[in-house]
Amino acid sequence: MDNKKLTTGSGAPYYEHQDSQTVGARGPVLLQDFILQENLAHFVRERIPERIVHAKGSGAYGKFTVTHDITKYTKAKLFSQVGNSCKMFARFSTVGGEKGSADTARDPRGFALKFYTEDGNWDLVGNNTPVFFIKDAKKFPDFIHTQKRVPKTNLKSPTMMWDFWSLNPESLHQVLILMSDRGTPYGFRHMHGFGSHTFSMINENNERVWVKFHFKTKQGIKNFTNDEATKMAGENPDFAQEDLCKAIDNGDFPKWTMYMQVMTEEQAKEFRWNPFDITKVWFQGDFPLIEVGEMELNEVPVNYFAHVEQSTFSPSNLINGISFSPDKMLQGRLFSYPDAHRYRVGVNAHQLEVNRCPFAVNNYQRDGFMADSSHYQDKPNYYPNSFDDIRPDSSYKNFEYELDSNHVANFNRNENDDDHYTQPGLLYTKAMNQQDRENLVKNIIDHMRGIDGPKRDEIINRQLCHFFRANIELGMKVASGLSVNIDANMMNHSK
């Protein structure tokens, strides 16, 4: 067969790819060697800013299939009948580490899903945990700073992590999950995923319910112990990426079953906790899991950078019949996620293959870096106009609702909602078995031993009070492991 010609970026064929143009065999390189210039200039621009969080990740394409009827809850076309399916893309990630960090680090895992539907792309951007460390997005930059590096030393710091957690008891539920073996999952195939936030669904009758999304792995839960995760970080820091790619290449396609929990607006008003608080779960005994469908990952992207690194997800990418809630963390992410992608990838990131809706996209957005006009060409860039056939469809009108209050203020996120201990206590006593509890205590002790500096004792004692409030046994075991003498004053604080 005929060979393809080697060309420049503009398509001009050239021959001299390996030797620069010089004055004599040992002379200086000429500025006119534009091939050298083009290749070097492109090379030093091959990277885009890494994600501030979720920098290290893996991704794959797959298929989502609806297996159960939920039309009484939503008018989303994807769920209009059993058997409907769509292409999807999933990206899994660690949260705090940089792009070159180890896959097995103790960290939550991102669980971001993109469904390519006929009503647009739906992004469900969650984690492998049903809760989070904080309940208001205003606190997010401060929290993430504690998970990154100390500005002076550029080192990770258990001191600032535990300082922040001990000063924010709302973090306790997620801290216990993080410090358990669930904080070091065995790759991405063996962990559950959660939308984490409370979302809403609206049906054909314009009735709204609150929902939470769950994805249960069909491969079974499997975690590393702390020692195994540390060992694997040295042996193969890309373990999770390799595990995912190998499984798909071998035809062992990973699958998850999608479920949801449903809470009516009336139930939300009577719920023991704020149903929009991401530091809390809805008990499945009260709000049972409803099976929805199955997702299967079956295709490794042909180019990691183009598809996984340039993929963008945002909870603001919603489809008709699925909407948001007053969850303060979700409300903040509706802005911050698309804003992060406009900075990192560019204002036209949605035109890239991995992010592009494969169905109709008709709007009046134009120009900006890397604009591709192949779709809109010379069509008008304003509305209304007399020339195109784009018309708003009234069947997609937003759900209208009344708010409970018209009083504007900076409300204390914990006022009348400061029970940070009941659910962590139940996690310890009910959700974990004896081995889970032993590993949790050991992991906490090992991690808290890294706290140092003049505030060491103050931070440790403050955090111990939170452990005691959740469960006396947990507090006693951690205190003992850290050689802290328990006095009556500390016990009183824990009541």
Side-chain angles (χ1 to χ4, degrees):
M1 58 185 275
D2 294 336
N3 293 326
K4 295 179 180 178
K5 293 183 176 68
L6 177 65
T7 73
T8 65
S10 60
Y14 71 93
Y15 176 73
E16 296 291 355
H17 185 72
Q18 301 186 74
D19 300 306
S20 299
Q21 194 175 57
T22 61
V23 181
R26 299 188 179 184
V29 175
L30 293 176
L31 185 62
Q32 71 181 29
D33 190 343
F34 64 92
I35 302 298
L36 170 66
Q37 290 184 41
E38 178 179 288
N39 286 341
L40 289 181
H42 189 280
F43 174 73
V44 298
R45 293 167 175 80
E46 281 183 356
R47 295 294 171 262
I48 58 178
E50 72 172 35
R51 293 166 170 86
I52 302 299
V53 288
H54 300 278
K56 177 75 181 293
S58 304
Y61 286 100
K63 179 182 180 181
F64 175 76
T65 304
V66 178
T67 58
H68 290 71
D69 183 6
I70 58 168
T71 52
K72 70 177 181 179
Y73 301 118
T74 180
K75 57 185 173 182
K77 289 182 181 177
L78 173 61
F79 301 109
S80 62
Q81 64 181 27
V82 173
N84 280 1
S85 64
C86 69
K87 185 177 180 179
M88 63 175 301
F89 182 78
R91 185 178 185 272
F92 310 112
S93 55
T94 52
V95 176
E98 300 85 5
K99 195 172 182 303
S101 56
D103 284 349
T104 56
R106 182 168 301 282
D107 210 359
R109 299 298 189 273
F111 199 100
L113 309 177
K114 186 182 296 292
F115 302 82
Y116 303 99
T117 88
E118 61 181 299
D119 262 350
N121 292 347
W122 173 36
D123 290 354
L124 187 59
V125 194
N127 287 322
N128 69 328
T129 59
V131 295
F132 197 61
F133 296 93
I134 52 176
K135 60 172 78 173
D136 191 315
K138 213 168 189 178
K139 299 172 66 64
F140 192 73
D142 295 306
F143 164 63
I144 291 300
H145 286 166
T146 72
Q147 306 302 297
K148 292 291 188 176
R149 296 178 180 273
V150 177
K152 179 180 179 180
T153 63
N154 198 41
L155 298 172
K156 292 290 187 77
S157 169
T159 302
M160 66 178 181
M161 291 182 187
W162 287 102
D163 188 35
F164 182 89
W165 290 335
S166 67
L167 288 166
N168 290 274
E170 68 199 70
S171 67
L172 185 59
H173 200 171
Q174 177 78 322
V175 167
L176 291 189
I177 296 175
L178 175 65
M179 289 295 146
S180 74
D181 288 346
R182 289 172 65 181
T184 51
Y186 188 92
F188 300 127
R189 296 183 300 124
H190 295 278
M191 65 183 191
H192 293 334
F194 303 87
S196 301
H197 297 288
T198 298
F199 294 89
S200 60
M201 280 187 163
I202 298 110
N203 66 15
E204 290 286 359
N205 299 320
N206 219 32
E207 299 165 329
R208 180 176 65 177
V209 293
W210 306 116
V211 298
K212 284 185 177 289
F213 296 107
H214 302 244
F215 288 79
K216 290 201 169 188
T217 176
K218 301 186 84 168
Q219 290 68 241
I221 289 289
K222 190 175 181 181
N223 298 310
F224 284 115
T225 64
N226 188 62
D227 290 343
E228 290 169 342
T230 302
K231 184 172 182 287
M232 184 57 72
E235 293 178 353
N236 184 3
D238 301 317
F239 170 82
Q241 167 76 5
E242 183 177 318
D243 178 72
L244 180 66
C245 289
K246 279 188 173 181
I248 294 175
D249 286 342
N250 291 335
D252 184 14
F253 302 142
K255 297 178 181 180
W256 286 260
T257 303
M258 177 183 176
Y259 299 88
M260 68 180 191
Q261 291 175 286
V262 174
M263 180 186 291
T264 66
E265 295 193 19
E266 292 72 27
Q267 289 173 318
K269 293 175 183 177
E270 302 298 325
F271 191 50
R272 176 177 175 181
W273 295 284
N274 176 359
F276 313 114
D277 178 353
I278 196 175
T279 68
K280 307 291 194 300
V281 298
W282 301 353
F283 295 140
Q284 293 178 20
D286 299 325
F287 304 94
L289 295 181
I290 299 170
E291 189 168 347
V292 178
E294 179 184 88
M295 89 174 204
E296 173 190 275
L297 299 182
N298 52 32
E299 179 186 347
V300 177
V302 294
N303 183 283
Y304 178 91
F305 180 86
H307 295 260
V308 183
E309 188 66 14
Q310 291 193 129
S311 62
T312 63
F313 298 85
S314 172
S316 61
N317 290 337
L318 295 162
I319 55 176
N320 191 41
I322 301 175
S323 192
F324 43 79
S325 79
D327 179 334
K328 291 181 180 180
M329 275 296 294
L330 174 59
Q331 292 275 323
R333 294 175 79 204
L334 294 175
F335 162 76
S336 66
Y337 272 58
D339 187 54
H341 302 317
R342 284 188 284 267
Y343 151 74
R344 192 177 65 86
V345 189
V347 71
N348 288 304
H350 60 282
Q351 295 181 3
L352 297 172
E353 180 181 359
V354 64
N355 304 316
R356 186 169 59 237
C357 175
F359 302 94
V361 176
N362 300 300
N363 58 39
Y364 300 95
Q365 298 171 5
R366 298 291 188 271
D367 306 337
F369 286 112
M370 306 299 286
D372 178 2
S373 69
S374 59
H375 173 63
Y376 52 80
Q377 297 180 347
D378 64 346
K379 293 178 182 177
N381 63 349
Y382 61 94
Y383 179 88
N385 67 75
S386 304
F387 305 101
D388 68 24
D389 58 355
I390 301 174
R391 299 291 181 271
D393 186 338
S394 62
S395 67
Y396 291 87
K397 286 180 65 175
N398 282 337
F399 176 77
E400 298 179 7
Y401 57 96
E402 300 291 334
L403 295 175
D404 293 335
S405 170
N406 59 7
H407 181 69
V408 176
N410 294 83
F411 293 95
N412 183 336
R413 69 192 183 283
N414 289 319
E415 186 173 354
N416 301 318
D417 190 28
D418 60 352
D419 178 5
H420 309 305
Y421 307 106
T422 299
Q423 290 201 2
L426 292 171
L427 174 68
Y428 182 77
T429 58
K430 302 294 186 183
M432 294 183 177
N433 60 36
Q434 185 59 32
Q435 188 63 57
D436 292 333
R437 290 190 284 269
E438 290 175 5
N439 290 354
L440 169 68
V441 170
K442 180 180 183 301
N443 294 338
I444 291 174
I445 293 168
D446 289 346
H447 203 275
M448 291 187 72
R449 280 178 179 150
I451 302 173
D452 58 16
K455 297 288 187 178
R456 178 183 183 275
D457 292 345
E458 177 183 333
I459 293 170
I460 289 176
N461 288 334
R462 191 164 55 222
Q463 185 63 42
L464 283 175
C465 287
H466 299 320
F467 290 145
F468 275 116
R469 288 183 176 103
N471 183 271
I472 294 293
E473 175 188 286
L474 172 62
M476 291 294 292
K477 288 187 174 181
V478 174
S480 175
L482 294 172
S483 301
V484 174
N485 293 321
I486 306 303
D487 56 28
N489 185 49
M490 181 176 292
M491 294 295 289
N492 288 334
H493 278 305
S494 70
K495 293 180 180 177

